Amino acid sequence: MRPFKLWQQAAIAAKVFIQRDYTNGTVCQFQTKFPSELETRIDKQQFEETVRMLNNLYAEAEKLGSHSYIEGCLACLTAYTVFLCMETHYEKVLKKIAKYVQEQNDKVYAPRGLLLTDPIERGLRVIEVTIFEERSLTR
Amino acid sequence: MHLGVSESMRECEYSQISTRSSTPMETPFKKKIPKKRKWESFPGRNKFYCDGRIMMAKQTGVFYLTLVLILVTCGLFFTFDCPFLAEHLTPVIPVVGGVLFVFVLGTLLRTSFSDPGVLPRATPDEAADLERQIDVANGSTGYRPPPRTKEVVINGQTVKLKYCFTCKIFRPPRASHCSLCDNCVERFDHHCPWVGNCVGRRNYRFFYMFILSLSFLTIFIFAFVITHIILRSSHRGGFLNALKDSPASVLEVVVCFFSVWSIVGLSGFHTYLISSNQTTNEDIKGSWSSKRGKDNYNPYSHGNIVTNCCAALCGPLPPSLIDRRGFVYLDTPQLAPPTNGITVYGSTQSQQSHMAAATPLLQQQSSEPVIITASPENGGALPSRTSLGLGGPCTSLPLGQPTPATSTASLSCQESTDMLPVHAHAHSHNHSRPLQDQVAHHHFLTPEDLPSPPGMLPCNTPLGHSHTVQAGFYNPASQDSLHEDSVRGLVKLSSV
């Protein structure tokens, strides 16, 4: 299975943007509403599951708890030099998110001719879903 | 073919499938092509130093003044007052002074040099998509539609999200567009000329610690210089003799005396803001004031003062959303080498989205799943930490479209009548260590792209509310000159 030449010629049919959901304030959450353009391509359940998982991950990144307070205090006491050696909690979660997006793309979206863009590449404004034209995806 | 390293093989594969270049092997990883970093084409009006690690506003003159004032006053204190005090009182005094000084300087530089939380501008695809949605909603008649707003209910309060014509996004709640820097900033507090940067989500805590520690330092120096003079005059018999012996002390006392009021006042004001989880912007506009309505309350507040303070000062620090130090993908796509082992984001131009779109699909084929944005060592895509000035790895910036610069800032000025006296006091001498009384006021800018209703901004400046309409034509040159004038005018106004 070597269809990468096909992908090379795969044209982008459309892009769908999942916007942010601000009903809980400024926390990073995305709308789980299923866009109509994806109806023919992917299962509603599957898609909502992906978005919900992303939302959970972002909530985890921004969660206020003893962990984040300790990190904040430690950072302040060391004049933030501690971050030269250590990643912030947020960054660790962003790494997790990137892995998750990659994994979802590999397993779920690419076989259906879709591609999720990691929201951090769009400034956490949108989840960009690229829809490729239906080409001969069969191998 | 390609010798060697699996990495370069992988990268060659990327070039191979790129939809852009005709001869895929033309741009192998090792070829030396001058690479441009994303900060070099950042659309906002910011200045970058140290190859994108440091980010400041355009006008930095006042920042240097702040720095000079602090350094000179502390320098004089350590040189002239500390020896006497260490000898006659205790050597702890210079030590404490030193610690405070270092802390003040550290937080000042951190506030000034870091990304305040700038929101990257929308990619062309996003902007087009939004426009389409808005047109559908408005039933476009061909005339310019009225100001675009979206309403959202947050914790029971209705909040209006405004559309930013420059950045082509709907601003998240609490974000605002800074006209001086020409960026939308998250949780925009204000633009501070004294630190030469905007104060927003990512640097508010450093700003607060700066003014707090500066208050302590000012009071500390003031108190001990007075002590010094009194002790000396009792030793030397005569107040005037003491002054003659230590002339620097006079200067220090004067500077500290005038600074104390403004800085301590400002610290108090910001302590209030933090404990109620408001921004300066919101407070000035009275967004959550009970005067607006019985049911008006702050939807962002966590309910109690302690949680609000903890959240503001010790909460998680979000990474920078702009990718300053990444490399720009031009027409010939090159896989940028990982900078400091950290990633490069896909640029926001549409051809890059092609590339970004195309390349991950390749991973289907390669046995090792490689993310385009990962350094082969890390294996994970990640924005790097923006630790500034300490030489840490920094994030880089997605390339935005050159947009016509927005119009003048609408200054919300200190003379606004609906401010409480305490605030007015704080506002009238902000941040200043003025040697003269009339010095630049604090810029509490609440600039918005859309023509704001007259009631919002009580101070009508002559530069005022002229907003250049973003008709979608790109004429940066003329817009820039308009900007220059408006900015100059703004600075003039501020020195009144």
Side-chain angles (χ1 to χ4, degrees), chain A residues 1-4 7-8 12 15 17 19 22-26 61-64 68-69 72-73 76 80-81 83-84 86-88 90-91 94-95 98 102 105-106 110 115 120-126 132, chain B residues 17 19 110 120-123 125-126 129 153-155 161 169 172-173 201 205-206 209 302 310-311 314-319 321 345-346 353 357 361 363-365 371 373 381-385 387 390 392:
Chain A
M1 132 179 145
R2 288 256 166 246
F4 67 87
W7 289 127
Q8 184 181 358
I12 295 176
K15 283 191 183 179
F17 296 96
Q19 299 287 340
Y22 293 116
T23 52
N24 286 328
T26 51
E62 296 186 32
K63 194 173 68 155
L64 294 171
S68 61
Y69 292 149
C73 288
C76 180
Y80 293 90
T81 50
F83 292 134
L84 289 170
M86 200 180 86
E87 270 180 344
T88 67
Y90 208 114
E91 285 170 348
L94 284 176
K95 263 199 175 139
Q102 180 59 43
N105 272 333
D106 287 341
L115 181 78
I120 196 74
E121 295 182 24
R122 296 288 176 265
L124 293 183
R125 288 186 307 265
V126 287
F132 289 94
Chain B
I17 69 134
T19 52
R110 185 90 201 204
R121 300 195 182 180
T123 58
D125 295 320
E126 270 178 73
D129 185 66
V153 178
I154 299 176
N155 290 337
L161 302 183
I169 57 171
R201 185 177 176 205
R205 69 191 67 186
F206 308 124
M209 291 197 282
H302 292 100
C310 287
C314 307
L317 188 65
L321 295 174
Y345 296 161
S353 51
L361 296 173
Q363 294 151 32
Q364 303 274 310
Q365 327 318 324
I371 310 168
T373 52
L382 212 242
S384 58
R385 307 154 235 153
S387 72
L390 302 170

Side-chain angles (χ1 to χ4, degrees), chain A residues 64 69, chain B residues 274-275 277 301-315:
Chain A
L64 294 171
Y69 292 149
Chain B
I274 284 184
S275 60
N277 201 335
S301 170
H302 292 100
N304 68 70
I305 291 178
V306 177
T307 319
N308 284 339
C309 289
C310 287
L313 301 175
C314 307

Side-chain angles (χ1 to χ4, degrees), chain B residues 130-141:
Chain B
L130 269 179
E131 296 261 339
R132 222 180 318 121
Q133 284 177 19
I134 293 168
D135 280 341
V136 164
N138 276 348
S140 162
T141 57

Side-chain angles (χ1 to χ4, degrees), chain B residues 166-387:
Chain B
T166 313
C167 305
K168 304 232 169 46
I169 57 171
F170 274 99
R171 278 183 222 128
R174 312 191 97 178
S176 196
H177 190 95
C178 176
S179 297
L180 286 180
C181 303
D182 204 23
N183 294 316
C184 271
V185 178
E186 276 190 298
R187 202 189 180 280
F188 181 73
D189 196 84
H190 62 280
H191 181 100
C192 184
W194 298 94
V195 301
N197 204 356
C198 287
V199 177
R201 185 177 176 205
R202 297 188 72 248
N203 63 357
Y204 185 58
R205 69 191 67 186
F206 308 124
F207 173 74
Y208 179 71
M209 291 197 282
F210 165 61
I211 53 174
L212 197 65
S213 53
L214 191 61
S215 319
F216 288 132
L217 183 67
T218 319
I219 294 174
F220 182 84
I221 292 182
F222 187 68
F224 282 107
V225 168
I226 300 277
T227 311
H228 171 212
I229 303 238
I230 292 175
L231 283 178
R232 207 182 260 272
S233 58
S234 66
H235 279 219
R236 286 294 227 106
F239 183 66
L240 286 173
N241 282 335
L243 286 181
K244 252 187 267 172
D245 282 342
S246 176
S249 307
V250 180
L251 177 66
E252 290 168 53
V253 165
V254 166
V255 170
C256 288
F257 180 76
F258 287 113
S259 316
V260 149
W261 305 111
S262 46
I263 294 174
V264 171
L266 193 66
S267 307
F269 174 58
H270 278 280
T271 309
Y272 158 74
L273 286 182
I274 284 184
S275 60
S276 59
N277 201 335
Q278 289 185 83
T279 62
T280 307
N281 211 358
E282 288 165 355
D283 184 75
I284 288 182
K285 288 198 247 171
S287 308
W288 313 121
S289 152
S290 49
K291 290 185 203 157
R292 280 219 181 179
K294 259 186 279 175
D295 291 329
N296 208 24
Y297 60 88
N298 184 359
Y300 310 110
S301 170
H302 292 100
N304 68 70
I305 291 178
V306 177
T307 319
N308 284 339
C309 289
C310 287
L313 301 175
C314 307
L317 188 65
S320 175
L321 295 174
I322 57 175
D323 188 27
R324 299 197 292 273
R325 288 177 43 81
F327 291 100
V328 175
Y329 288 109
L330 300 172
D331 271 342
T332 54
Q334 303 150 14
L335 189 66
T339 53
N340 300 330
I342 306 293
T343 62
V344 171
Y345 296 161
S347 160
T348 54
Q349 285 186 343
S350 49
Q351 54 253 53
Q352 282 78 35
S353 51
H354 259 270
M355 167 97 165
T359 46
L361 296 173
L362 174 66
Q363 294 151 32
Q364 303 274 310
Q365 327 318 324
S366 67
S367 50
E368 307 146 54
V370 175
I371 310 168
I372 184 176
T373 52
S375 78
E377 299 86 45
N378 286 358
L382 212 242
S384 58
R385 307 154 235 153
T386 48
S387 72

Side-chain angles (χ1 to χ4, degrees), chain A residues 27-89:
Chain A
V27 185
C28 183
Q29 298 281 281
F30 291 95
Q31 292 177 359
T32 47
K33 187 167 94 52
F34 186 60
S36 50
E37 294 93 331
L38 296 178
E39 265 166 18
T40 54
R41 294 294 194 115
I42 191 167
D43 198 24
K44 176 174 176 186
Q45 203 81 339
Q46 182 72 57
F47 182 75
E48 286 183 359
E49 173 58 37
T50 308
V51 180
R52 224 171 278 131
M53 184 65 186
L54 283 174
N55 283 343
N56 288 340
L57 286 169
Y58 282 115
E60 187 194 322
E62 296 186 32
K63 194 173 68 155
L64 294 171
S66 52
H67 179 91
S68 61
Y69 292 149
I70 291 171
E71 194 188 54
C73 288
L74 176 70
C76 180
L77 290 171
T78 60
Y80 293 90
T81 50
V82 72
F83 292 134
L84 289 170
C85 340
M86 200 180 86
E87 270 180 344
T88 67
H89 174 67

